[in-house]
Amino acid sequence: MKAVWIGVLAASALLLAGGAQADAELAKKSGCLNCHNPDKNMAAPALKNIAAKYRGDANAEAYLAGKIKKGSAGVWKMPMPAMPPNNVTEANAKVLANWILSLK
């Protein structure tokens, strides 16, 4: 029985890691990583800094998804342009927002 639980836990960890990797690939494919880096500030704030700023905010996913789609000004030092509609769908904006919020 113990071996079964260990197997289930290991499989779950692999699925979660695969999802995180897939979302990083989506961020790269969508152009997010042209300006953002997960760990350090570049032309735009580090994604981990964005996650830290909004962690615990119940509306963070919707807020960030909206900023990803429509752009942002006045939140950080540099404004973020709106993403072209063919780069990020509404669904992908939500996936990206959740991925960003998961970064620590």
Side-chain angles (χ1 to χ4, degrees):
M1 183 67 166
K2 195 178 206 179
V4 171
W5 279 110
I6 291 171
V8 168
L9 290 173
S12 298
L14 285 174
L15 286 174
L16 290 174
Q21 182 61 34
D23 297 338
E25 287 299 317
L26 177 60
K28 182 177 180 181
K29 180 178 132 185
S30 301
C32 304
L33 302 182
N34 291 341
C35 299
H36 293 277
N37 180 289
D39 300 310
K40 61 184 176 181
N41 293 329
M42 294 179 12
L47 296 174
K48 288 182 179 181
N49 292 345
I50 296 169
K53 181 174 182 162
Y54 296 103
R55 188 167 289 119
D57 181 342
N59 299 314
E61 177 195 334
Y63 177 79
L64 290 177
K67 296 297 183 185
I68 290 167
K69 288 290 294 171
K70 298 174 188 158
S72 176
V75 179
W76 301 90
K77 291 180 183 178
M78 183 173 208
M80 180 177 144
M83 295 300 292
N86 58 341
N87 277 32
V88 180
T89 65
E90 292 288 334
N92 282 350
K94 289 179 183 178
V95 169
L96 289 166
N98 276 317
W99 175 66
I100 292 167
L101 291 167
S102 75
L103 298 174
K104 295 183 183 194

